Amino acid sequence: MNIGDVAKRAGLPPKTIRYYEEIGLIKPLRGPNGYRAFREQDLHKLAFLSRARTLGFTIEDCRTLLALYADEGRASADVKQVAQEHLGQIDDKIAQLKTMRDTLSELVRCCAGDNRPDCPILNDLAAEV
Amino acid sequence: MNIGDVAKRAGLPPKTIRYYEEIGLIKPLRGPNGYRAFREQDLHKLAFLSRARTLGFTIEDCRTLLALYADEGRASADVKQVAQEHLGQIDDKIAQLKTMRDTLSELVRCCAGDNRPDCPILNDLAAEV
DNA sequence: TATAAGGATTCCAGTGACGGGAAGGTCAAG
DNA sequence: CTTGACCTTCCCGTCACTGGAATCCTTATA
């Protein structure tokens, strides 16, 4: 398979696939013409990566997860730990965004949004320290 | 005021303040020794920026907001629009993170987390495309 | 007065995870 | 034989900083 085919099948841009090779996540073979020659196992890894990235895992997490996946003697506890830490970070991020949203939506609600200059949003931003 | 003083008062690292000058958000004066000489208005702008960044506005948004703040003849509608667009992006981000969290927490819940290799998290990631 | 600390300066490089685009090689169809 | 669709590598840009090196200025202390 050429990169275009795996790209479609894995749902990843060719650029991303080349990048994943560059950082050592996958190691596709090469044909005599210099083209990458992807095997089913490469596609499988790429699909794994695509899914993991969709769930927000970092590239380093993905590396760890791929290693655990390849390790038949892994403990599910190790996988769970990676996922739980990630989950914690997602929760932190959500909490942070919610705080922003609450403040912002209140400010937006209070703003007349007309052609006059007075604006509670700017007033908030410019509030004395 | 030297950069260390404004940094403390505005709650921003000196590095960030230098960066803000570099991209033209602030224009502090210079003393004869080459040190930046911050006026009250510079501090005020930095506090504004600090607050706006806390609310998640991009640097370009901040630039727009500072310009609107400086424009006595602004329409609050313009400010409101910037805030509303940002609010929309925050909401999108939250929704995306929530989707991740829901999937992830379910996977984590199903994972035994013991010393056996079988793991629903990996099974999900490795699911056929 | 020498010196040492602590702050200031600039400049360069790196972050994460790619994306854009140039310059060029390869392949299948007409 | 040419066209166009692929593929290759290489380098730069993203966003908003952060770290670190090398150097300069100021202030406090021995």
Side-chain angles (χ1 to χ4, degrees):
Chain A
M1 268 181 297
N2 282 347
I3 201 167
D5 305 319
V6 268
K8 269 178 207 119
R9 291 229 261 155
L12 290 172
K15 279 268 184 184
T16 299
I17 297 175
R18 293 194 190 99
Y19 173 66
Y20 287 172
E21 183 190 17
E22 189 188 329
I23 62 173
L25 286 179
I26 52 167
K27 299 189 186 359
L29 303 176
R30 292 290 176 139
N33 54 7
Y35 286 17
R36 288 169 183 82
F38 294 87
R39 293 154 292 179
E40 282 298 324
Q41 56 167 290
D42 297 316
L43 174 59
H44 194 63
K45 269 195 185 181
L46 287 169
F48 184 106
L49 289 167
S50 178
R51 175 87 178 124
R53 293 288 298 130
T54 298
L55 290 180
F57 286 104
T58 66
I59 291 287
E60 283 318 301
D61 281 344
C62 289
R63 203 185 293 279
T64 305
L65 290 171
L66 272 180
L68 285 167
Y69 182 57
D71 177 9
E72 300 280 339
R74 71 186 161 258
S76 66
D78 292 342
V79 182
K80 188 168 185 171
Q81 201 200 331
V82 172
Q84 270 177 330
E85 277 178 24
H86 178 43
L87 198 49
Q89 292 186 1
I90 289 178
D91 282 335
D92 290 350
K93 189 74 190 170
I94 289 176
Q96 187 192 348
L97 286 170
K98 273 187 177 167
T99 302
M100 284 181 191
R101 187 187 54 184
D102 290 351
T103 304
L104 253 177
S105 62
E106 176 64 11
L107 291 174
V108 164
R109 195 184 62 76
C110 294
C111 177
D114 55 20
N115 61 347
R116 288 171 302 170
D118 187 50
C119 174
I121 301 169
L122 290 181
N123 288 346
D124 179 280
L125 292 175
E128 285 306 315
V129 197
Chain B
M1 268 180 297
N2 282 347
I3 200 167
D5 305 318
V6 269
K8 271 180 206 115
R9 291 230 260 154
L12 290 171
K15 280 267 184 185
T16 299
I17 296 175
R18 293 195 189 97
Y19 172 66
Y20 287 171
E21 183 191 15
E22 189 188 329
I23 62 174
L25 286 178
I26 53 167
K27 299 189 186 357
L29 302 176
R30 293 290 176 137
N33 55 6
Y35 286 18
R36 288 170 184 82
F38 295 86
R39 292 154 292 179
E40 282 298 324
Q41 55 166 289
D42 297 316
L43 174 59
H44 194 62
K45 268 195 184 181
L46 287 169
F48 184 106
L49 289 167
S50 179
R51 176 86 178 123
R53 292 288 299 132
T54 298
L55 290 180
F57 285 104
T58 66
I59 291 287
E60 283 318 301
D61 281 343
C62 289
R63 203 185 293 278
T64 305
L65 291 170
L66 272 179
L68 285 168
Y69 182 58
D71 177 9
E72 301 279 340
R74 71 187 161 256
S76 66
D78 292 342
V79 182
K80 188 168 184 170
Q81 200 200 331
V82 172
Q84 269 176 330
E85 276 178 24
H86 178 41
L87 198 49
Q89 293 186 1
I90 289 178
D91 281 336
D92 290 351
K93 189 75 191 171
I94 290 175
Q96 187 192 348
L97 287 171
K98 273 187 176 166
T99 302
M100 284 181 190
R101 186 187 56 185
D102 290 351
T103 305
L104 253 177
S105 63
E106 176 64 11
L107 290 174
V108 163
R109 196 184 62 75
C110 293
C111 177
D114 54 20
N115 61 348
R116 288 171 302 170
D118 187 49
C119 174
I121 301 169
L122 290 182
N123 287 346
D124 179 280
L125 292 175
E128 286 306 317
V129 197

